[in-house]
PDB file of all heavy atoms in Angstrom:
ATOM      1  N   THR A   2       0.716   2.114  -0.948  1.00 51.00           N
ATOM      2  CA  THR A   2       1.534   3.326  -1.025  1.00 51.00           C
ATOM      3  C   THR A   2       0.708   4.536  -0.653  1.00 51.00           C
ATOM      4  O   THR A   2      -0.493   4.589  -0.899  1.00 51.00           O
ATOM      5  CB  THR A   2       2.105   3.510  -2.436  1.00 51.00           C
ATOM      6  OG1 THR A   2       1.019   3.630  -3.359  1.00 51.00           O
ATOM      7  CG2 THR A   2       3.005   2.355  -2.815  1.00 51.00           C
ATOM      8  N   ASN A   4       0.139   8.371  -1.358  1.00 51.00           N
ATOM      9  CA  ASN A   4       0.413   9.347  -2.408  1.00 51.00           C
ATOM     10  C   ASN A   4       0.460  10.779  -1.896  1.00 51.00           C
ATOM     11  O   ASN A   4       0.580  11.701  -2.686  1.00 51.00           O
ATOM     12  CB  ASN A   4      -0.634   9.246  -3.521  1.00 51.00           C
ATOM     13  CG  ASN A   4      -0.497   7.957  -4.301  1.00 51.00           C
ATOM     14  OD1 ASN A   4       0.594   7.418  -4.401  1.00 51.00           O
ATOM     15  ND2 ASN A   4      -1.591   7.465  -4.836  1.00 51.00           N
ATOM     16  N   GLU A   8       5.190  17.167   3.537  1.00 68.00           N
ATOM     17  CA  GLU A   8       5.229  18.600   3.804  1.00 68.00           C
ATOM     18  C   GLU A   8       6.658  19.036   4.007  1.00 68.00           C
ATOM     19  O   GLU A   8       7.447  18.335   4.637  1.00 68.00           O
ATOM     20  CB  GLU A   8       4.394  18.932   5.041  1.00 68.00           C
ATOM     21  CG  GLU A   8       2.925  18.767   4.817  1.00 68.00           C
ATOM     22  CD  GLU A   8       2.133  19.218   6.018  1.00 68.00           C
ATOM     23  OE1 GLU A   8       2.586  20.141   6.719  1.00 68.00           O
ATOM     24  OE2 GLU A   8       1.075  18.641   6.245  1.00 68.00           O
ATOM     25  N   ARG A   9       6.978  20.182   3.472  1.00 73.00           N
ATOM     26  CA  ARG A   9       8.328  20.711   3.611  1.00 73.00           C
ATOM     27  C   ARG A   9       8.513  21.328   4.979  1.00 73.00           C
ATOM     28  O   ARG A   9       7.678  22.074   5.457  1.00 73.00           O
ATOM     29  CB  ARG A   9       8.549  21.797   2.581  1.00 73.00           C
ATOM     30  CG  ARG A   9       9.731  21.496   1.775  1.00 73.00           C
ATOM     31  CD  ARG A   9      10.022  22.528   0.812  1.00 73.00           C
ATOM     32  NE  ARG A   9      11.440  22.343   0.618  1.00 73.00           N
ATOM     33  CZ  ARG A   9      12.074  22.589  -0.450  1.00 73.00           C
ATOM     34  NH1 ARG A   9      11.463  23.105  -1.455  1.00 73.00           N
ATOM     35  NH2 ARG A   9      13.348  22.360  -0.549  1.00 73.00           N
ATOM     36  N   LYS A  13      14.633  27.771   9.956  1.00 83.00           N
ATOM     37  CA  LYS A  13      14.765  29.093  10.560  1.00 83.00           C
ATOM     38  C   LYS A  13      15.757  29.906   9.752  1.00 83.00           C
ATOM     39  O   LYS A  13      16.655  29.347   9.115  1.00 83.00           O
ATOM     40  CB  LYS A  13      15.288  28.984  11.987  1.00 83.00           C
ATOM     41  CG  LYS A  13      14.321  28.374  12.939  1.00 83.00           C
ATOM     42  CD  LYS A  13      14.897  28.405  14.323  1.00 83.00           C
ATOM     43  CE  LYS A  13      13.903  27.817  15.294  1.00 83.00           C
ATOM     44  NZ  LYS A  13      14.373  27.933  16.656  1.00 83.00           N
ATOM     45  N   ILE A  16      19.938  34.109  11.311  1.00 87.00           N
ATOM     46  CA  ILE A  16      20.090  34.920  12.525  1.00 87.00           C
ATOM     47  C   ILE A  16      19.440  34.218  13.707  1.00 87.00           C
ATOM     48  O   ILE A  16      20.054  34.062  14.768  1.00 87.00           O
ATOM     49  CB  ILE A  16      19.506  36.328  12.317  1.00 87.00           C
ATOM     50  CG1 ILE A  16      20.336  37.088  11.287  1.00 87.00           C
ATOM     51  CG2 ILE A  16      19.444  37.082  13.635  1.00 87.00           C
ATOM     52  CD1 ILE A  16      19.739  38.408  10.871  1.00 87.00           C
ATOM     53  N   TYR A  18      18.758  31.090  13.969  1.00 89.00           N
ATOM     54  CA  TYR A  18      19.468  29.830  14.192  1.00 89.00           C
ATOM     55  C   TYR A  18      20.636  30.043  15.152  1.00 89.00           C
ATOM     56  O   TYR A  18      20.793  29.327  16.135  1.00 89.00           O
ATOM     57  CB  TYR A  18      19.951  29.281  12.853  1.00 89.00           C
ATOM     58  CG  TYR A  18      20.834  28.067  12.966  1.00 89.00           C
ATOM     59  CD1 TYR A  18      20.300  26.813  13.245  1.00 89.00           C
ATOM     60  CD2 TYR A  18      22.208  28.164  12.774  1.00 89.00           C
ATOM     61  CE1 TYR A  18      21.108  25.696  13.342  1.00 89.00           C
ATOM     62  CE2 TYR A  18      23.023  27.054  12.868  1.00 89.00           C
ATOM     63  CZ  TYR A  18      22.466  25.830  13.152  1.00 89.00           C
ATOM     64  OH  TYR A  18      23.272  24.729  13.256  1.00 89.00           O
ATOM     65  N   ILE A  22      21.283  28.927  19.235  1.00 86.00           N
ATOM     66  CA  ILE A  22      22.483  28.253  19.747  1.00 86.00           C
ATOM     67  C   ILE A  22      23.030  28.998  20.954  1.00 86.00           C
ATOM     68  O   ILE A  22      23.369  28.396  21.977  1.00 86.00           O
ATOM     69  CB  ILE A  22      23.554  28.128  18.646  1.00 86.00           C
ATOM     70  CG1 ILE A  22      23.087  27.163  17.567  1.00 86.00           C
ATOM     71  CG2 ILE A  22      24.884  27.654  19.237  1.00 86.00           C
ATOM     72  CD1 ILE A  22      23.989  27.109  16.355  1.00 86.00           C
ATOM     73  N   ALA A  23      23.106  30.330  20.852  1.00 85.00           N
ATOM     74  CA  ALA A  23      23.604  31.131  21.973  1.00 85.00           C
ATOM     75  C   ALA A  23      22.703  30.984  23.190  1.00 85.00           C
ATOM     76  O   ALA A  23      23.185  30.942  24.328  1.00 85.00           O
ATOM     77  CB  ALA A  23      23.716  32.595  21.561  1.00 85.00           C
ATOM     78  N   VAL A  25      20.879  28.316  24.030  1.00 87.00           N
ATOM     79  CA  VAL A  25      21.123  26.998  24.612  1.00 87.00           C
ATOM     80  C   VAL A  25      22.431  27.004  25.393  1.00 87.00           C
ATOM     81  O   VAL A  25      22.507  26.476  26.511  1.00 87.00           O
ATOM     82  CB  VAL A  25      21.137  25.908  23.518  1.00 87.00           C
ATOM     83  CG1 VAL A  25      21.655  24.586  24.060  1.00 87.00           C
ATOM     84  CG2 VAL A  25      19.752  25.737  22.934  1.00 87.00           C
ATOM     85  N   GLN A  29      23.478  26.524  29.736  1.00 82.00           N
ATOM     86  CA  GLN A  29      24.394  25.509  30.251  1.00 82.00           C
ATOM     87  C   GLN A  29      25.575  26.111  31.004  1.00 82.00           C
ATOM     88  O   GLN A  29      26.493  25.393  31.378  1.00 82.00           O
ATOM     89  CB  GLN A  29      24.906  24.652  29.094  1.00 82.00           C
ATOM     90  CG  GLN A  29      23.801  23.860  28.429  1.00 82.00           C
ATOM     91  CD  GLN A  29      24.293  23.072  27.240  1.00 82.00           C
ATOM     92  OE1 GLN A  29      25.423  23.227  26.797  1.00 82.00           O
ATOM     93  NE2 GLN A  29      23.429  22.225  26.710  1.00 82.00           N
ATOM     94  N   CYS A  34      25.720  33.877  38.684  1.00 82.00           N
ATOM     95  CA  CYS A  34      25.381  35.308  38.647  1.00 82.00           C
ATOM     96  C   CYS A  34      24.777  35.733  37.315  1.00 82.00           C
ATOM     97  O   CYS A  34      23.768  36.420  37.268  1.00 82.00           O
ATOM     98  CB  CYS A  34      26.618  36.153  38.924  1.00 82.00           C
ATOM     99  SG  CYS A  34      27.302  35.879  40.558  1.00 82.00           S
ATOM    100  N   GLY A  38      25.526  33.619  26.444  1.00 82.00           N
ATOM    101  CA  GLY A  38      25.947  32.668  25.425  1.00 82.00           C
ATOM    102  C   GLY A  38      26.355  33.450  24.193  1.00 82.00           C
ATOM    103  O   GLY A  38      25.769  34.477  23.882  1.00 82.00           O
ATOM    104  N   VAL A  42      30.214  34.619  14.294  1.00 85.00           N
ATOM    105  CA  VAL A  42      29.917  34.173  12.937  1.00 85.00           C
ATOM    106  C   VAL A  42      30.552  35.134  11.939  1.00 85.00           C
ATOM    107  O   VAL A  42      30.483  36.349  12.103  1.00 85.00           O
ATOM    108  CB  VAL A  42      28.387  34.129  12.709  1.00 85.00           C
ATOM    109  CG1 VAL A  42      28.066  33.703  11.288  1.00 85.00           C
ATOM    110  CG2 VAL A  42      27.726  33.216  13.708  1.00 85.00           C
ATOM    111  N   VAL A  49      34.066  30.647  15.746  1.00 71.00           N
ATOM    112  CA  VAL A  49      34.466  30.341  17.104  1.00 71.00           C
ATOM    113  C   VAL A  49      33.377  29.459  17.686  1.00 71.00           C
ATOM    114  O   VAL A  49      32.204  29.775  17.579  1.00 71.00           O
ATOM    115  CB  VAL A  49      34.628  31.622  17.956  1.00 71.00           C
ATOM    116  CG1 VAL A  49      34.882  31.275  19.399  1.00 71.00           C
ATOM    117  CG2 VAL A  49      35.735  32.481  17.396  1.00 71.00           C
ATOM    118  N   GLY A  50      33.790  28.374  18.289  1.00 63.00           N
ATOM    119  CA  GLY A  50      32.816  27.488  18.891  1.00 63.00           C
ATOM    120  C   GLY A  50      31.974  28.216  19.921  1.00 63.00           C
ATOM    121  O   GLY A  50      32.337  29.275  20.411  1.00 63.00           O
ATOM    122  N   GLU A  51      30.858  27.671  20.221  1.00 62.00           N
ATOM    123  CA  GLU A  51      29.952  28.284  21.174  1.00 62.00           C
ATOM    124  C   GLU A  51      30.571  28.274  22.557  1.00 62.00           C
ATOM    125  O   GLU A  51      31.216  27.325  22.948  1.00 62.00           O
ATOM    126  CB  GLU A  51      28.627  27.527  21.198  1.00 62.00           C
ATOM    127  CG  GLU A  51      27.897  27.526  19.881  1.00 62.00           C
ATOM    128  CD  GLU A  51      28.450  26.535  18.885  1.00 62.00           C
ATOM    129  OE1 GLU A  51      29.002  25.503  19.290  1.00 62.00           O
ATOM    130  OE2 GLU A  51      28.354  26.810  17.687  1.00 62.00           O
ATOM    131  N   TYR A  54      29.264  32.253  29.386  1.00 59.00           N
ATOM    132  CA  TYR A  54      29.854  32.910  30.552  1.00 59.00           C
ATOM    133  C   TYR A  54      28.835  32.981  31.658  1.00 59.00           C
ATOM    134  O   TYR A  54      27.694  33.140  31.456  1.00 59.00           O
ATOM    135  CB  TYR A  54      30.305  34.329  30.215  1.00 59.00           C
ATOM    136  CG  TYR A  54      31.448  34.372  29.252  1.00 59.00           C
ATOM    137  CD1 TYR A  54      31.252  34.705  27.934  1.00 59.00           C
ATOM    138  CD2 TYR A  54      32.724  34.070  29.672  1.00 59.00           C
ATOM    139  CE1 TYR A  54      32.303  34.766  27.066  1.00 59.00           C
ATOM    140  CE2 TYR A  54      33.785  34.122  28.795  1.00 59.00           C
ATOM    141  CZ  TYR A  54      33.565  34.467  27.487  1.00 59.00           C
ATOM    142  OH  TYR A  54      34.602  34.509  26.624  1.00 59.00           O
TER     143      TYR A  54
END
Side-chain angles (χ1 to χ4, degrees):
T2 61
N4 291 331
E8 290 185 31
R9 235 182 155 150
K13 291 184 179 185
I16 293 172
Y18 173 76
I22 292 172
V25 169
Q29 296 177 351
C34 297
V42 178
V49 173
E51 299 79 29
Y54 293 104

